[in-house]
Amino acid sequence: MIIKGKVWKYGNDINTDVIFPGKYTYTVTDPKEMAKIALEDLDPEFAKNVQKGDVIVGGTNFGCGSSREQAASCLLYAGVGAVIAKTFARIYFRNCINFGLPALTSAEAVDALEHGESIEIDTEKGEICCKAGVFSFPPLPKEIVGIFDAGGLIPYTKKQLGLE
Amino acid sequence: MGRTFTEKILGRKTGKDVVPGEIIEVEPDIAMSHDNTAAISKTFYKIGVDKVYDPKKHVIILDHCTPAANEKFAQNHKDIREFVKKQGIENFYDINVGICHQVMHEKGHVWPGALIVGSDSHTTSYGAFGAFSAGIGRSEMAAIMARGKIWLRVPETIKVVVEGEFPPGVSAKDLMLKIAGEIGADGALYKAIEFCGPTIDAMSVASRFVLTNMAVEIGAKAGYMIPNAETLEYLRGRVKTPFEIVESDRDAIYEAEYKFDVSVLEPMIAKPHTVDNVVPVAEVKGTKIDQVFFGSCTNARVEDFEVVTNVLRGKRVHPDVRMLVFPASAEVYIEVLKKGWITDLAEAGCVIMNPGCGPCMGNHEGVPADGEVTLATSNRNFKGRLGNKESFVYLVSPMTAAVSALTGKIEDFRE
């Protein structure tokens, strides 16, 4: 898969409350509405201006805090093509895989990328191409790549159960 | 080679030796979900399965917005009630029982050696009882309902050794904030934490719970302690499942080890807007507060009520402060009611609320106004956490919360 878009760069410890505020977890359920409040408490400009394929770049511990998976799915609904971080909080990382949102780990890329620059990601080659050069990211472990390749945990579970 | 608690539990579940970094598929003993069960049930049906794989393993507890704040929350609860009836899920606790992480052990769904997952990040809590417990996402809970299994990465283990005797009034919360401040919000990312040492062995059930509850705030997958005598006594009569205590081998391999001596511990506070933004309370002494949130799965048990009531009895909460009190569960509520403490707190000017999560994630019951400061005994102070991104949350112990409520300013209770 090729992902092409603009970089939205943020800092360390971006938590799920600022990605998808807790007060909406039971009241905002429509994907279009979820997209509109993505990153509401972090960057009010994001949801208004994000374009399909754009990439969120965070530092360490991206997605810490609550287990709410809307913090992953709202970005997908907003058109985000991938999230690149130095490290991910574990439940957030799981939620990304489960929704088929590429969560890529590359500390070098994070340091090199600038807010607003255009980048291209080749998920098969495991490469991030940007102004500063080409950076690689590790593939998903073989045990879980099947979940991502199936398009997420729900299609994967259907397959496991022979329901597809 | 010796093995850690985690390696033993996950190895037993897979029927072979496992090593850190390995990815395995396991069948959890218990799977807990709360108000998010409505969304989970919809995802479950999308998979194309009609019947839950093992209804006995699921525990569903309503706590995140109880009673319902509006028609959407009400519909959410209604959907869950219908789902549990249709699926024959007997371990269902409606809005009158309490916070999920408290109800889980009160009702015997947690035991030493159990493998528990929950679609809530604070599921790390049950390690205080010698269980391995980790938070998961909603879709993962739906998949467990469909096929009973989940993948887990076997985590490395970090040892946190705690020694010394707490100075008067200094508590487990101060210790946990100190740990968060030192180790950092990602200091235990993907790892299991084993809390041990003479101080941990001597701590009460409620105090031990504070540490494993907040293990996730430093990134941990799970927190663990060897159940002490008080813990086993607490579980007696509650747990119906036969269990065996699982401990790490003496020669188990730990990735890192930290030591804390609580005899020199000061009252600690996490400043806005991260849990690891921790300083001694003395550094922010005098900061004006508007609201005190005494509640949450971290600090709203009987021993916390004892501390708070002893401070407030016969006095009045400062007229500029709204002090909200949320017992962790109906069991806690009834016990402190019988002791007369609810009367003491109400007479001191506290607002007594129902057991539940309250304003903890900003749903209702105490959302602050712009610019207001809340002193909370809960576990998170992220921007917007209580429902307003223009407000400020400081995390403290029940003692610091109560003493500060009297003066309307953050106080160092040792003075």
Side-chain angles (χ1 to χ4, degrees):
Chain A
M1 182 174 27
I2 303 288
I3 299 154
K4 271 183 182 176
K6 214 167 65 257
V7 166
W8 294 81
K9 190 167 177 179
Y10 304 105
N12 293 336
D13 302 316
I14 301 301
N15 67 73
T16 53
D17 277 301
V18 296
I19 302 173
F20 191 89
K23 62 184 172 187
Y24 299 133
T25 51
Y26 297 98
T27 50
V28 182
T29 51
D30 175 63
K32 274 192 200 128
E33 296 302 313
M34 287 170 68
K36 283 186 203 159
I37 55 171
L39 303 190
E40 185 178 276
D41 285 355
L42 178 69
D43 179 1
E45 293 305 306
F46 173 79
K48 283 183 254 171
N49 298 302
V50 62
Q51 301 286 319
K52 196 165 168 47
D54 281 0
V55 173
I56 291 186
V57 176
T60 52
N61 203 22
F62 190 93
C64 61
S66 160
S67 65
R68 73 184 67 126
E69 63 187 14
Q70 299 97 312
S73 59
C74 76
L75 298 184
L76 199 70
Y77 300 147
V80 168
V83 184
I84 307 172
K86 291 188 178 178
T87 53
F88 287 92
R90 69 165 273 278
I91 306 177
Y92 191 82
F93 185 70
R94 298 180 72 98
N95 287 338
C96 286
I97 295 167
N98 293 336
F99 271 86
L101 174 65
L104 315 175
T105 309
S106 170
E108 296 77 16
V110 169
D111 285 335
L113 288 166
E114 285 172 19
H115 189 81
E117 78 168 280
S118 295
I119 64 165
E120 190 171 316
I121 300 167
D122 185 328
T123 55
E124 261 125 70
K125 282 193 193 157
E127 283 178 356
I128 300 162
C129 301
C130 61
K131 215 166 60 185
V134 178
F135 298 93
S136 63
F137 56 86
L140 283 174
K142 61 180 187 324
E143 295 88 347
I144 47 181
V145 74
I147 300 173
F148 187 82
D149 289 346
L153 182 64
I154 299 313
Y156 175 80
T157 306
K158 276 187 179 179
K159 228 160 90 180
Q160 294 287 103
L161 292 168
L163 296 169
E164 222 170 30
Chain B
M1 192 180 73
R3 291 179 302 152
T4 63
F5 160 80
T6 295
E7 289 151 25
K8 286 186 183 180
I9 290 285
L10 297 180
R12 183 197 277 184
K13 277 284 171 187
T14 44
K16 64 181 182 73
D17 281 354
V18 296
V19 292
E22 197 173 336
I23 289 172
I24 54 169
E25 196 169 56
V26 289
E27 263 195 49
D29 296 309
I30 291 287
M32 189 283 297
S33 55
H34 46 62
D35 301 40
N36 56 20
T37 309
I40 291 166
S41 68
K42 290 189 183 88
T43 307
F44 164 75
Y45 286 125
K46 262 189 220 158
I47 295 170
V49 181
D50 291 330
K51 290 302 287 176
V52 167
Y53 178 80
D54 189 352
K56 290 191 298 296
K57 284 189 174 165
H58 290 274
V59 182
I60 297 168
I61 302 157
L62 301 188
D63 63 356
H64 269 50
C65 186
T66 56
N70 61 35
E71 75 282 12
K72 286 194 171 167
F73 288 104
Q75 185 62 44
N76 191 66
H77 288 165
K78 187 180 175 207
D79 290 348
I80 296 168
R81 292 184 189 108
E82 287 169 0
F83 179 72
V84 297
K85 271 199 188 122
K86 189 171 169 193
Q87 294 295 336
I89 295 171
E90 287 171 9
N91 298 319
F92 170 64
Y93 301 95
D94 213 313
I95 67 159
N96 57 346
V97 190
I99 304 177
C100 62
H101 301 304
Q102 178 70 13
V103 173
M104 278 287 283
H105 57 81
E106 282 181 355
K107 302 296 183 188
H109 303 301
V110 172
W111 59 87
L115 172 59
I116 303 173
V117 293
S119 51
D120 186 279
S121 59
H122 291 109
T123 301
T124 53
S125 299
Y126 318 132
F129 300 90
F132 179 89
S133 58
I136 61 171
R138 289 178 176 186
S139 297
E140 299 187 293
M141 187 57 75
I144 290 173
M145 284 179 176
R147 57 185 287 267
K149 295 188 183 77
I150 187 165
W151 69 268
L152 293 175
R153 178 185 171 280
V154 180
E156 297 80 5
T157 302
I158 291 176
K159 198 178 204 176
V160 173
V161 184
V162 186
E163 295 167 338
E165 217 170 293
F166 283 101
V170 179
S171 68
K173 182 62 160 289
D174 299 298
L175 168 61
M176 190 58 220
L177 291 175
K178 174 83 180 168
I179 293 171
E182 297 234 331
I183 299 182
D186 64 345
L189 206 55
Y190 299 100
K191 315 294 182 203
I193 301 179
E194 195 166 316
F195 296 95
C196 56
T199 310
I200 301 292
D201 294 339
M203 277 163 98
S204 68
V205 173
S207 289
R208 288 158 54 93
F209 192 95
V210 172
L211 302 178
T212 50
N213 172 264
M214 286 187 69
V216 69
E217 306 308 335
I218 51 174
K221 175 176 205 153
Y224 166 76
M225 294 170 184
I226 298 171
N228 62 5
E230 191 185 318
T231 303
L232 294 173
E233 181 56 34
Y234 173 87
L235 293 175
R236 188 168 304 145
R238 295 180 191 262
V239 177
K240 304 283 179 278
T241 313
F243 63 80
E244 188 191 332
I245 296 165
V246 179
E247 294 181 23
S248 296
D249 292 328
R250 284 181 175 277
D251 57 344
I253 311 281
Y254 294 91
E255 192 185 79
E257 186 173 323
Y258 296 90
K259 272 206 169 93
F260 292 88
D261 177 4
V262 298
S263 65
V264 292
L265 188 63
E266 300 175 76
M268 304 301 286
I269 189 165
K271 298 192 290 180
H273 294 287
T274 57
V275 184
D276 61 352
N277 189 13
V278 175
V279 295
V281 168
E283 279 187 30
V284 288
K285 202 179 71 170
T287 306
K288 193 184 160 300
I289 58 171
D290 303 286
Q291 178 169 273
V292 173
F293 164 32
F294 169 37
S296 88
C297 52
T298 311
N299 275 121
R301 281 172 277 279
V302 175
E303 74 172 27
D304 303 318
F305 271 83
E306 184 169 20
V307 168
V308 171
T309 310
N310 284 342
V311 171
L312 297 184
R313 187 180 293 115
K315 301 191 174 117
R316 283 295 289 181
V317 167
H318 192 275
D320 294 341
V321 175
R322 311 177 297 270
M323 176 142 181
L324 313 177
V325 175
F326 297 80
S329 67
E331 186 178 311
V332 170
Y333 195 8
I334 292 163
E335 190 172 339
V336 297
L337 193 66
K338 283 183 177 163
K339 287 175 187 287
W341 298 348
I342 291 293
T343 308
D344 293 334
L345 293 175
E347 283 177 351
C350 296
V351 183
I352 312 298
M353 309 293 286
N354 58 301
C357 301
C360 194
M361 74 296 304
N363 285 329
H364 66 159
E365 296 183 329
V367 177
D370 286 5
E372 286 191 333
V373 171
T374 299
L375 208 53
T377 64
S378 58
N379 43 45
R380 283 194 182 129
N381 60 347
F382 300 143
K383 201 173 183 185
R385 177 72 185 174
L386 296 183
N388 184 349
K389 71 173 191 298
E390 304 302 334
S391 73
F392 303 89
V393 185
Y394 290 76
L395 304 178
V396 291
S397 71
M399 177 67 122
T400 298
V403 171
S404 305
L406 289 174
T407 63
K409 303 189 304 274
I410 295 173
E411 297 286 353
D412 184 337
F413 62 78
R414 298 170 304 174
E415 290 169 7

